[in-house]
Structures are given as structure tokens and as C-alpha cells.
Amino acid sequence: MAAGTATLALPRFSIGEAGESPNSKLNLAFIGCAGRGARSLNSCKSENYVALCDVDEAHAAKSFKQFPDARRFQDFRVMFDKMEKEIDAVVVSTPDHTHFAATMEAMRRGKHVYVEKPLTHDIWQARTLRKAKHHYKLVTQMGNQAHATNGIR
């Protein structure tokens, strides 16, 4: 996850600028903060966590408590409406039936996205996200941690 999230910073890099790289820290939003989302949260602690979103506040309470400075939301659309300009990238770790909707909304708003597998439920959704990635010029990654290790290869 950390390697995947690190790649989200690439479009912000500017060669030749003096001073600290603009991608030294990303402002991340997390959609889905319990279960797999909690593991994702623990993989990116060197970044700025600006927003945490989970429909079940009780289930995500431990994650919310761990990152008290991040604003909390129950609806990712509201999160984007209120914080769009403060978010660089989004991590989507929700139940899989919401992956496409959350990812597409993030991309529509110009946010780089890391989304857990499965990315989509059909070919149309996959092709739509690919088109959006190119249209909005974004960096995206689908989490498939086990299959990216030497043991599986």
C-alpha cells in the first residue's frame, strides 16, 4: 500500500524547482476506515490525513480516534463538496459495490486514487475508469497486495 500511495505523488513533482518538493506530503482522504480500510490507514502514516469517511461511525471509531485531526464524514460526496480543494489523493477501501462510484467521483474531481480490489464489477465500469484516468490525467492504482509480491510471481 505504501508503495502504491507513493506513486500518487508523481504528477505533483516538478523538476528544477528550488526548495522542498511539492509532493513531500500528500493530503489524503480515506473512504472506508474500518476493516481493510484500517490497514490502509496504517500504511500511509507519513502523509497528511485530512479526511476520513465511513458510513458506520461506530465500526470506524478506532480509526477516527487514531487520527483526530482528520475531518470525519459519513458520505464521500459531502466530503468532496466540503474539502475538494484540500485533498490530493483518495484511498478507497469500502465494500466492493461502492468502489466504482467512489473512485469515479474522486477522479471527476481531479483526485489521484488508490482503490482496493475488485476495481469494478464489469467491463463497462473498468473502461469508464480507464477513460477518466486519461481524461483527467491522474495516477491510479488498484490494490492487489499479495499478487505484487515475489512469492506470487
Side-chain angles (χ1 to χ4, degrees), residues 24 41 54-55 91 123 135 142:
S24 61
L41 278 163
D54 201 293
V55 296
V91 177
I123 297 297
H135 176 77
M142 181 186 71

Side-chain angles (χ1 to χ4, degrees), residues 3-143:
T5 305
T7 63
L8 296 175
L10 293 176
R12 292 180 49 174
F13 182 74
S14 178
I15 296 173
E17 277 190 27
E20 189 174 288
S21 171
N23 66 340
S24 61
K25 290 219 182 223
L26 290 172
N27 288 332
L28 297 178
F30 289 80
I31 303 172
C33 298
R36 180 70 201 143
R39 288 188 292 279
S40 294
L41 278 163
N42 288 316
S43 297
C44 306
K45 288 184 178 179
S46 63
E47 306 303 328
N48 294 324
Y49 290 32
V50 296
L52 303 178
C53 181
D54 201 293
V55 296
D56 187 339
E57 289 182 332
H59 195 56
K62 186 176 177 182
S63 294
F64 287 163
K65 186 176 180 180
Q66 189 177 1
F67 302 98
D69 293 334
R71 290 187 55 192
R72 301 178 191 173
F73 298 90
Q74 284 187 291
D75 186 323
F76 64 84
R77 297 162 298 191
V78 173
M79 177 188 76
F80 284 129
D81 285 346
K82 292 187 177 189
M83 297 191 66
E84 183 172 354
K85 290 181 170 55
E86 299 170 56
I87 298 169
D88 296 320
V90 179
V91 177
V92 179
S93 302
T94 57
D96 61 358
H97 66 276
T98 59
H99 286 184
F100 174 77
T103 300
M104 191 67 225
E105 185 61 19
M107 292 171 75
R108 186 181 74 75
R109 294 176 185 251
K111 308 305 170 196
H112 306 289
V113 185
Y114 175 93
V115 60
E116 293 293 342
K117 66 176 173 29
L119 178 63
T120 63
H121 283 288
D122 58 44
I123 297 297
W124 179 86
Q125 289 180 348
R127 288 178 177 161
T128 300
L129 291 180
R130 184 184 65 208
K131 287 177 186 175
K133 172 200 178 307
H134 292 292
H135 176 77
Y136 296 113
K137 297 176 177 61
L138 298 169
V139 176
T140 62
Q141 182 175 346
M142 181 186 71

